[in-house]
Amino acid sequence: MIIIMDPKTEIQNINKVQECIESNGLGVYSSRGESYLIIGVIGDSGKLDSNKLLRFDGVQKVLKVEEPFKKANRLFKPDDTIVDIEGKKIGGGNLGIIAGPCSVESEEQIIKIAKDIKAAGGNFLRGGAFKPRTSPYSFQGLELEGLELLKKAKKETGLPIVTEIMSTDYIDQFVDNVDVIQVGARNMQNFDLLKQLGKTNKPILLKRGLSATIEEWIMSAEYILAGGNENVILCERGIRTFETYTRNTLDLSAIPMVKRLSHLPVIVDPSHAGGYWYLVEPLAKAAIMAGADGLMIEVHNDPKNALSDGQQSIKPENFRALMDKIRVCAEIEGKIIK
Ligand code: PEP
Ligand code: MN
């Protein structure tokens, strides 16, 4: 349930409504914009009498919210969430272009790629240090050493670091060393991890699960928001379908649908979606034109010898050419890349 109040109403009227909700054992989430004031009810709002609420001074409307997600719901917060990472913003007209190798492999590799990404106009560096591989015999990542190498690359370029966490064991190291914590597709429903991340104030990049519905995906974001961390960025990375020519199927329609349902920013990873380097550019352009708030792209200086996902990684020169096209798409969409 949401209660729409007159944005000019006095604070005591707001407090009375909030007290009424809380006295029924329910939570309150209020949001305010220039022309609105919304009090959202968290919990089983069946306990509340909407006619009684309508009698409070300042209350204009009481609406039922059908969706199971609350804090992530656009009805609870009509304005786009803008996640601010060291002054670089994602959402609300700001595009985050996150690029880098699938895995951090060496100091030389990550620094070289980071410099190329910066020069091309990307504004975040990605690189996996803990890798969720399908086979236990594949390269598992440099782990904590990988985080150190990402920090060196950040020192060289100033690009904030985005990297994946796989276990609650490393939350402290991630909070101390990383700018955006990525939750991968395979961990989208690791609820224990989501709850722990909800207690931090780090921006979280939440990838869509391999076969997750839009609702399941937003409910996972709700876990993080419910803990108090409202800095969540969603990432569509393709879902599993019957098609086998592509690694996954990029669900382009999820972008406008999620943006209608939720105020959270949504970015797209065309690399894991298509699975081939030559699909990255068309999918990236389509994503921006469909309203995405950014991209996550795998870039490698030597894709043939990459330790993971070489077949879907583009070379730095292709990333540079892609950025020129993305800037044109951004302009058409009225978005900026800072
Ligand atoms: C990745 O970003 O390298 C990755 C493993 O992605 P996903 O979780 O989407 O498969
Ligand atoms: Mn990868």
Side-chain angles (χ1 to χ4, degrees), residues 248-263:
N248 291 292
T249 296
L250 177 60
D251 184 6
L252 272 180
S253 42
I255 306 161
M257 182 55 84
V258 171
K259 291 187 71 71
R260 185 184 167 91
L261 293 167
S262 176
H263 48 84

Side-chain angles (χ1 to χ4, degrees), residues 33-70:
E34 268 175 26
S35 59
Y36 67 85
L37 168 58
I38 293 173
I39 311 290
V41 178
I42 297 173
D44 176 13
S45 56
K47 292 181 195 162
L48 289 173
D49 177 354
S50 47
N51 286 324
K52 185 178 162 199
L53 286 166
L54 279 165
R55 288 197 290 272
F56 280 97
D57 285 334
V59 172
Q60 294 174 328
K61 256 192 226 162
V62 176
L63 299 174
K64 252 190 109 56
V65 174
E66 303 293 340
E67 296 83 17
F69 45 91
K70 309 296 174 197

Side-chain angles (χ1 to χ4, degrees), residues 42-43 65-73 187-195 198 206-209 212-227 229 232 234 258 261-262 264:
I42 297 173
V65 174
E66 303 293 340
E67 296 83 17
F69 45 91
K70 309 296 174 197
K71 286 185 158 187
N73 202 310
N187 271 310
M188 188 204 82
Q189 285 189 320
N190 181 340
F191 298 117
D192 205 30
L193 181 61
L194 300 176
K195 281 184 199 163
L206 179 65
K207 290 192 138 192
R208 183 176 183 180
T213 64
I214 288 175
E215 191 162 289
E216 287 164 342
W217 183 23
I218 302 178
M219 286 307 286
S220 288
E222 185 80 15
Y223 263 89
I224 303 168
L225 297 178
N229 184 354
V232 178
L234 298 168
V258 171
L261 293 167
S262 176
L264 296 173

Side-chain angles (χ1 to χ4, degrees), residues 102 126 131-132 164 182 184-186 207 237 272 296 298:
C102 180
R126 67 148 285 152
K131 294 305 302 176
E164 178 169 353
Q182 175 177 332
R186 290 155 192 80
K207 290 192 138 192
R237 44 77 76 202
H272 290 85
M296 173 178 258
E298 286 186 339

